[in-house]
Each structure stands twice: as C-alpha cells, then as structure tokens.
Amino acid sequence: DSSYLEYDASANVDDGSCATLAVLGCTDSSYLEYDASANVDDGSCLTFICGNNLTYQGYDYATVLIGEQCWFAENLRSENYENGDAIPSGLGNSEWQNPSSGAVAVYNASASNLETYGRLYNWLAVDDARGLCPSGWDVPSDAEWTILTDHLGGESVAAGQMINSSGFSGLPGGLRSITGGYSNAGTHGYWWSSSPNGSNAWVRYLDYYYENVYRNNSLSPQSGFSVRCVRDAE
C-alpha cells in the first residue's frame, strides 16, 4: 500500500508491515508552512522564518533580520557551489596568484579560523554561475550592502553594529592577498558583493577598532575575502 511509509514497490503479497500512514506536508520547522503531523516532505516549505537556523550543505547557519533584509549571521564556510560541484581549494601561493577558476581557502589553513571566520573566496568563485549561496539566497549586491549600512546609521558609524549589536556578527576574518599570503585576521573584515565594477568588484570592509564601514572597488578579484548570503527580496 503506497499510502504507508513502509511501502515496498517490489512486494506483491501484503505481509501486514504497513504501519505508518504517510502524511504529506512541510517537515521543516524553520518555515511558516511547517506541519508537525507531516512525515513526508512535499515541497510546500516556502516561507523561511528569519532568525531560525538554515541548514546548507550539512551546516546550520544562524540568520538575522536587519530592517527588511534576512542575512546569514556568520560567514559562508562551504567548499562547494550550490549545485554540489567542489570549489578548488588547497592552492599554493603561485596557484592562488593566477587562478583559472573560483577558489576557496581557510585563513592559515587553521581549523580554529574556519570555525570562527568561515572560508575566504576569490571573486571568480563569487561570480560563478553555479552560485555560492543556497537557493533563494545570494551574495549581496552593492546596493543590498548599502541598504544594510544605511539601516545601521550609514557607513561612518555602521561598523560597530555590524560587529556586535545588530546580530550581523561581522567578525574580522582577514584576507588572503593576491600573492597568497594571509593577513589582518582579528582586526579587519572583508566581504565581497556580487556587483562587478570594471575588472574589479565592490567590496565592504571594516576595521575592528573604528566605526566606519568602507566601500571599495580597487581591491583585486584575486583576493580572498569572506562571503555572506542575503535572502532574495520577496
């Protein structure tokens, strides 16, 4: 009987093992459509409740609502594009300097840095059509970053709230430079936008000791910066 979870398509004699009636519905409690009685997900989970954790590629990301935007409250740490393809990693300095595709690294290849700061991605990974963020989410555009900083009082004062009070948790994860070296963890945080500007892309960065959030497009796309995901606008 296909109405039961124990259904066996190869069976042609019922042995009485049908015990659990299949109940279709949204089985993920992070969504408004969640049905506690459902035991088979039918794809009806549509409306994510910002502030709940979002599971993506085996990791539970904290999320936070800031104004009308829903953000990851921690940096991306995945080693794969959204479709599951691996992002090249473990590149030596010479390979990092002349990438032929997207690449990802962990600051000083340290497990503790991965846990605290997530991974660092070059621009080719951000710009890849396979995507870094889960379905329904994207690397924020330059305009979406501006919406965030404006909501937090403007670029001259937003850094303190991005680090602490807003829930954004903008920890200073440092960078991997175009020569492959690592620097500035603990003092500076750098995040890509998805918006190109000529041969570069718009970036936001902050200094842990100052209130400013800086907007810049002069940093090389070979650099390794942190990535945040923001939920697509409704």
Side-chain angles (χ1 to χ4, degrees):
D1 188 336
S2 60
S3 299
Y4 287 80
L5 291 182
E6 295 81 8
Y7 172 65
D8 180 355
S10 68
N12 56 24
V13 176
D14 197 295
D15 62 358
S17 61
C18 294
T20 311
L21 188 66
V23 180
L24 302 181
C26 172
T27 60
D28 189 334
S29 61
S30 298
Y31 288 78
L32 285 177
E33 295 81 8
Y34 173 64
D35 181 353
S37 67
N39 54 25
V40 177
D41 197 284
D42 62 358
S44 61
C45 296
L46 300 173
T47 312
F48 178 75
I49 303 172
C50 195
N52 288 338
N53 285 354
L54 179 76
T55 301
Y56 178 53
Q57 296 187 355
Y59 181 80
D60 291 336
Y61 288 92
T63 67
V64 61
L65 184 67
I66 303 176
E68 296 183 357
Q69 294 176 306
C70 187
W71 290 82
F72 275 21
E74 51 192 301
N75 294 335
L76 192 67
R77 60 181 59 229
S78 63
E79 299 177 272
N80 302 85
Y81 291 108
E82 195 272 335
N83 71 350
D85 290 348
I87 306 169
S89 61
L91 275 63
N93 289 352
S94 60
E95 296 173 293
W96 186 267
Q97 292 173 36
N98 299 290
S100 59
S101 64
V104 62
V106 174
Y107 194 100
N108 282 340
S110 162
S112 63
N113 285 332
L114 171 60
E115 183 61 29
T116 303
Y117 300 122
R119 286 185 160 85
L120 303 171
Y121 302 81
N122 70 6
W123 167 247
L124 292 175
V126 174
D127 197 41
D128 194 289
R130 288 169 288 184
L132 290 177
C133 296
S135 177
W137 300 70
D138 284 298
V139 178
S141 67
D142 180 55
E144 287 173 315
W145 276 114
T146 299
I147 291 170
L148 173 69
T149 54
D150 283 352
H151 180 79
L152 298 179
E155 291 179 351
S156 63
V157 298
Q161 293 193 65
M162 285 177 63
I163 296 169
N164 294 312
S165 58
S166 69
F168 184 84
S169 301
L171 299 180
L175 59 81
R176 188 172 188 183
S177 74
I178 60 174
T179 60
Y182 297 94
S183 61
N184 295 337
T187 60
H188 292 74
Y190 305 81
W191 292 272
W192 288 115
S193 83
S194 59
S195 300
N197 190 282
S199 60
N200 296 320
W202 289 107
V203 173
R204 293 305 189 283
Y205 68 95
L206 56 82
D207 183 324
Y208 197 72
Y209 299 102
Y210 295 93
E211 293 293 311
N212 300 72
V213 175
Y214 302 94
R215 177 176 179 257
N216 196 310
N217 75 325
S218 64
L219 301 176
S220 171
Q222 295 161 264
S223 300
F225 297 146
S226 299
V227 165
R228 285 296 175 100
C229 298
V230 66
R231 193 175 176 209
D232 295 343
E234 297 294 337

